[in-house]
Amino acid sequence: MHKRIEVCLTPALLHLYDISEHIVVVVDVLRATSSMVYGIDNGATAIIPVAHVEDCLTYAGKGYLLAAERDGEVVKGYDFGNSPFSYTREKVAGKTIVLTTTNGTKALHMARTSARQVVVGSFLNLQALCDWLKTQDRSVLLLCAGWKDHFNLEDTLFAGAVVSKLRTGFTHFDDASVAAEDLYLQAKEDLRGYLRKSSHSHRLEQLNIEEDVKFCLQTDLCTAIPVLTGDALIALQ
């Protein structure tokens, strides 16, 4: 089988891809998928991604941690948002988290409707993810969550990092993969410096979460790969 690797630069383009036999890697490095990876790595039993803030409320009072973020800020009345520092072992081990975010959870819901399998990627689990993808006999689509359906740099850079690591095991690359890899190779020595050009970077600076950004750009802190099973993300076994 000729394994393909493709990059979907924004969820708005997802309808162009036939992903019925693909592994889809959902990418929202600042910060949703980084927090998901970190939370599962730190022993969270499961993370249930929901599309709307109101959906979180249906889980209230049942022992779940409720997490909601919109436009980069914690929604009032929720335990926390999507800062990775909320997903430490002390806070999440043995817990199930119900999470909604501006972009990442939306991309997960779109992917699950037609993909063969959906997993979550971030710089934090880059090597573990790539090692696993190499062993799978399936084509891969890297789905960048972007920002409200627009292209963004940080998710594309991560997609480029995956393409760069998987180059030997796959035969077909689309132009988006080539572009993503070129961007990554240009940026990889100083990801944070490169991302200072990005629009999201300016939004994040106004939110005063530089520590989050730096944290999310670290590679290989985690080995967990969250996989969507039914309604929940759990650790891939």
Side-chain angles (χ1 to χ4, degrees):
M1 178 183 155
H2 293 302
K3 294 201 292 184
R4 305 176 64 84
I5 189 160
E6 295 169 298
V7 174
C8 181
L9 294 167
T10 142
L13 297 172
L14 186 60
H15 67 282
L16 300 173
Y17 298 84
D18 175 9
I19 54 173
S20 56
E21 293 301 319
H22 281 53
I23 296 168
V24 175
V25 181
V26 175
V27 182
D28 183 5
V29 293
L30 298 180
R31 298 163 288 165
T33 60
S34 300
S35 295
M36 290 167 184
V37 167
Y38 194 51
I40 294 291
D41 205 70
N42 279 327
T45 306
I47 296 174
I48 301 171
V50 296
H52 305 289
V53 173
E54 302 72 53
D55 298 335
C56 260
L57 286 175
T58 62
Y59 291 88
K62 296 176 185 170
Y64 297 107
L65 289 174
L66 304 184
E69 169 270 336
R70 283 295 180 269
D71 297 325
E73 300 190 272
V74 179
V75 178
K76 201 171 171 193
Y78 286 82
D79 297 323
F80 46 91
N82 67 347
S83 166
F85 297 113
S86 298
Y87 292 75
T88 56
R89 188 164 289 279
E90 302 78 58
K91 291 181 181 167
V92 304
K95 299 276 204 323
T96 294
I97 301 150
V98 181
L99 170 69
T100 183
T101 74
T102 310
N103 305 293
T105 52
K106 177 188 164 192
L108 275 165
H109 278 270
M110 288 175 70
R112 70 181 284 191
T113 57
S114 49
R116 161 68 62 141
Q117 190 171 28
V118 180
V119 298
V120 166
S122 70
F123 284 106
L124 300 179
N125 70 341
L126 173 62
Q127 191 63 52
L129 175 71
C130 290
D131 289 345
W132 177 73
L133 288 171
K134 276 178 199 162
T135 68
Q136 303 304 298
D137 208 18
R138 295 212 172 272
S139 293
V140 172
L141 179 75
L142 297 154
L143 172 58
C144 300
W147 177 260
K148 298 184 177 179
D149 278 344
H150 292 273
F151 166 90
N152 76 14
L153 273 175
E154 60 271 17
D155 294 343
T156 305
L157 286 177
F158 174 77
V162 174
V163 172
S164 188
K165 283 187 181 289
L166 294 183
R167 183 154 279 300
T168 53
F170 288 74
T171 45
H172 296 276
F173 298 85
D174 63 347
D175 282 3
S177 300
V178 175
E181 185 184 22
D182 281 355
L183 274 176
Y184 170 70
L185 293 175
Q186 189 180 337
K188 71 175 189 176
E189 297 310 319
D190 182 11
L191 288 172
R192 182 66 191 104
Y194 190 87
L195 283 175
R196 290 198 191 283
K197 304 177 187 184
S198 77
S199 58
H200 198 40
S201 193
H202 298 301
R203 272 192 297 278
L204 293 171
E205 273 165 23
Q206 286 165 337
L207 295 167
N208 210 11
I209 51 174
E210 176 63 24
E211 292 310 307
D212 280 17
V213 177
K214 284 189 193 147
F215 186 88
C216 292
L217 296 178
Q218 297 177 100
T219 48
D220 306 328
L221 279 190
C222 303
T223 56
I225 302 168
V227 58
L228 199 56
T229 305
D231 289 336
L233 290 161
I234 60 171
L236 183 74
Q237 296 306 323

